[in-house]
Amino acid sequence: MKLSGTFKLAGDKSISHRIALLSLMASGECEVSNYSTAKDCMTSAQALNSLGGVARFSGGKLFLSSMEYRFKNGANIDCGNSGTTMRLLMGVLAAAPGKFYLTGDESLMRRPMERVAKPLREMGANISCAPSGTPPVTLQGDELTGIDYTLPVPSAQLKSAILIAGLRAEGVTRVAEPVKSRDHTENMLKTFGADISFQSGAWCVRRSKIELPSAFSVPGDPSSAAFFLCGAAMLRGSEVIAEGILLNPTRIKFLEKINGMGVRIEIEPKGESPEPWGNVMSRYSGQLSPCNITADELPLLVDEVPILALLATQAHGVSVFQEISELRIKESDRIAALVSELGKMGARLQIDGSNLIIHGPCRLKSHNSLESFGDHRIAMTLALACGIADAGSEIRGLSCISISYPEFFDTMKELTS
Ligand code: S3P
């Protein structure tokens, strides 16, 4: 298999979630172009409707209007597979008058929510999770007071929930993150007029109003583009260009990593609004060097670990991904899934404490019972692994790919024909 050509991406998932969910706190009306087509982002749009608002799709755009922070009391919101929807909503609803219930699918019902509930409770929120710290989450809006909080785990979702709650809290809410994670919430709150600033190593937010811009265009999703940009790096004769993708530095660390493995990458910046975006070219460049990831780098490429692990199986030498246990509590246990499923194809991945060690290069073999574990990023990684291997593989559970990248197979077809 060889990948060649140019491809476009639907809007970035993280930014799409945020424009939809921040509209719950904001005034004004907004016409959103290139909103993500991911099922997860449809879940966030649907959450607005469940809360009594209107998120309306028309002519390929999403129309959002202010809800003035008045939500349907007793609303039961199904967050589907989306951790971002649930965790950010916890921040939005912590001070909202009324009672709200958050649930999700089988995978989301196993994911940790107490890490978000705890600091919000310290702010005065009335929140409960199941005894295991997982959903369902029940919130009864209350008066909030700002706190000084240092993130115990690097998580953009946790940081975002606290900053969002800080918009409705008395006094100052300070959030320090020892390890940097994606910064879209801070960027958008600043642009939308919140009283937020970075002081003495922490984000400080005060009670303030935000206003939606009248128009907002979401750049393409780099985490989806990563599958084909990395795919081109391991398939002889490949060259692909991802057009119009988000180039926020907290999201494209993976490009630096694959460039460090010896892959030719060219970045052509095209615009700055709402965040930097442009085109990215990736070309097969022959032998790959190993890839090492440190704990400090992980939050900047957390969603790209599965595809980088596949790339590392093709590198000459040993790659070490350090301290990646956060991957165990994503949509599936991604470490276990990578070790078992790429292992079935002959790859040598080994767990050493919380590190993942990958020995390359390896000639991947087909296998007739690969499993996605219902995890979209595992499914796409395996689909590309099968493209490298001989024909004859079968992957169970590919439909979950629509959680983040419904156009994945169409793009694959275009780039391979
Ligand atoms: C996201 C943050 C990351 C990432 C997820 C999206 C976000 O999760 O894995 O896909 O939009 O804030 P964590 O905050 O749990 O690291």
Side-chain angles (χ1 to χ4, degrees):
M1 186 167 97
K2 175 177 116 176
L3 298 170
S4 69
T6 298
F7 64 110
K8 281 200 163 65
L9 282 301
D12 181 62
K13 200 152 87 76
S14 290
I15 293 186
S16 296
H17 277 301
R18 284 162 173 76
I19 186 75
L21 298 173
L22 285 175
S23 80
L24 291 166
M25 318 275 290
S27 57
E29 302 207 332
C30 183
E31 187 180 303
V32 185
S33 319
N34 205 35
Y35 186 80
S36 170
T37 50
K39 212 169 161 187
D40 266 2
C41 295
M42 296 304 144
T43 298
S44 278
Q46 182 54 42
L48 269 51
N49 295 332
S50 307
L51 283 162
V54 184
R56 187 171 54 84
F57 286 93
S58 171
K61 294 190 173 168
L62 170 63
F63 293 83
L64 300 169
S65 12
S66 160
M67 287 180 68
E68 306 290 351
Y69 210 62
R70 277 195 299 270
F71 310 128
K72 196 161 124 194
N73 188 15
N76 196 328
I77 301 146
D78 181 356
C79 301
N81 192 250
S82 177
T84 313
T85 308
M86 186 172 282
R87 293 186 176 130
L88 268 55
L89 267 180
M90 288 168 74
V92 170
L93 297 174
K99 198 164 183 182
F100 309 98
Y101 307 92
L102 308 178
T103 60
D105 70 6
E106 209 190 312
S107 152
L108 188 58
M109 293 302 276
R110 286 195 302 265
R111 297 184 64 191
M113 295 301 145
E114 183 56 29
R115 56 167 64 177
V116 183
K118 186 172 175 286
L120 293 178
R121 233 179 260 128
E122 282 173 28
M123 294 174 80
N126 194 339
I127 303 187
S128 67
C129 305
S132 46
T134 54
V137 177
T138 304
L139 298 105
Q140 171 106 53
D142 221 325
E143 293 291 316
L144 303 183
T145 311
I147 51 166
D148 228 319
Y149 198 72
T150 300
L151 299 184
V153 277
S155 161
Q157 294 175 357
L158 171 57
K159 172 179 62 177
S160 300
I162 304 169
L163 291 175
I164 290 171
L167 287 179
R168 308 289 299 190
E170 186 64 46
V172 188
T173 301
R174 285 191 190 81
V175 184
E177 52 174 355
V179 182
K180 192 162 172 59
S181 64
R182 65 191 70 189
D183 56 8
H184 310 301
T185 302
E186 302 88 296
N187 294 342
M188 288 167 82
L189 289 182
K190 250 192 281 175
T191 316
F192 298 172
D195 183 349
I196 180 168
S197 56
F198 191 73
Q199 286 169 29
S200 318
W203 281 102
C204 304
V205 64
R206 286 171 195 274
R207 177 175 284 170
S208 43
K209 292 201 164 39
I210 55 173
E211 180 158 1
L212 293 173
S214 55
F216 187 90
S217 177
V218 186
D221 193 322
S223 301
S224 293
F227 289 95
F228 296 113
L229 293 170
C230 292
M234 55 194 155
L235 291 159
R236 189 179 294 277
S238 297
E239 178 173 325
V240 298
I241 299 175
E243 279 189 337
I245 65 167
L246 178 68
L247 296 177
N248 174 323
T250 65
R251 295 293 302 284
I252 55 167
K253 187 82 182 169
F254 73 97
L255 293 175
E256 190 185 306
K257 288 287 152 191
I258 55 180
N259 185 242
M261 295 173 83
V263 180
R264 179 80 181 268
I265 296 290
E266 281 171 22
I267 302 179
E268 187 192 356
K270 289 271 190 188
E272 286 292 325
S273 176
E275 294 197 0
W277 59 274
N279 299 345
V280 176
M281 189 276 301
S282 166
R283 180 183 302 149
Y284 177 83
S285 314
Q287 189 166 313
L288 293 169
S289 319
C291 172
N292 294 313
I293 298 177
T294 62
D296 282 2
E297 293 172 327
L298 184 67
L300 306 180
L301 34 74
V302 64
D303 292 337
E304 289 73 61
V305 165
I307 189 65
L308 287 174
L310 173 62
L311 198 55
T313 68
Q314 303 306 298
H316 288 249
V318 180
S319 298
V320 182
F321 295 3
Q322 287 175 14
E323 311 273 337
I324 61 166
S325 26
E326 267 295 299
L327 272 284
R328 290 203 183 274
I329 49 170
K330 292 290 178 190
E331 287 82 331
S332 72
D333 178 343
R334 286 188 175 156
I335 304 180
L338 289 168
V339 171
S340 71
E341 303 314 289
L342 292 177
K344 286 178 187 169
M345 300 180 80
R348 285 179 300 142
L349 287 84
Q350 179 197 334
I351 297 169
D352 176 20
S354 51
N355 298 344
L356 178 65
I357 301 176
I358 304 164
H359 301 264
C362 127
R363 190 167 191 285
L364 293 172
K365 304 182 303 260
S366 61
H367 194 279
N368 63 9
S369 65
L370 297 169
E371 179 58 63
S372 73
F373 301 99
D375 183 326
H376 51 122
R377 296 197 203 277
I378 296 297
M380 290 187 276
T381 300
L382 293 177
L384 279 163
C386 293
I388 304 172
D390 315 321
S393 291
E394 244 173 72
I395 308 168
R396 260 200 308 267
L398 284 175
S399 60
C400 62
I401 287 176
S402 61
I403 293 285
S404 66
Y405 196 179
E407 306 81 6
F408 176 80
F409 283 114
D410 295 336
T411 301
M412 173 109 104
K413 206 164 152 197
E414 279 166 31
L415 296 177
T416 48
S417 56

